[in-house]
Amino acid sequence: MKSIAALQAVVTANPFGGEPTDAELDAIDRELPVILADVALLDAQIMTIDRTPTELDHQRIRRARRRVLAARRDLANRTTEAQTGGAA
């Protein structure tokens, strides 16, 4: 039988402190509008799972999809501007 004791030091060399780093928190803050838009879309879709969707349901889902696309576009534009140093 193989012993894994030698590999354990590699696995546990960097213990997880339990808290996110500042960079991770900043990334979450940047992505929060996309996350919230995705949650709103899921809520709209979940509401129609057990029944036939009405026209209002279809509108709600379309509106939520547009919000997701807009939030993703805005995030992509902010990321591009940050990489290029801002608008020219």
Side-chain angles (χ1 to χ4, degrees):
M1 179 169 211
K2 277 190 194 177
S3 173
I4 62 167
L7 299 176
Q8 229 172 8
V10 174
V11 173
T12 59
N14 297 323
F16 178 64
E19 297 293 325
T21 64
D22 289 339
E24 291 170 333
L25 290 173
D26 290 340
I28 291 169
D29 283 341
R30 281 190 308 273
E31 295 174 9
L32 192 58
V34 175
I35 294 167
L36 295 176
D38 282 333
V39 169
L41 175 59
L42 284 171
D43 285 344
Q45 291 170 334
I46 288 170
M47 287 173 38
T48 63
I49 285 177
D50 61 346
R51 61 184 167 93
T52 304
T54 64
E55 182 58 33
L56 183 61
D57 292 328
H58 289 295
Q59 289 175 0
R60 185 176 294 123
I61 291 170
R62 282 193 303 267
R63 200 173 321 123
R65 281 186 182 138
R66 285 193 300 267
R67 280 191 217 121
V68 168
L69 291 173
R72 289 181 182 174
R73 179 199 61 218
D74 293 343
L75 178 63
N77 287 341
R78 277 184 274 153
T79 303
T80 303
E81 286 177 5
Q83 289 174 350
T84 60

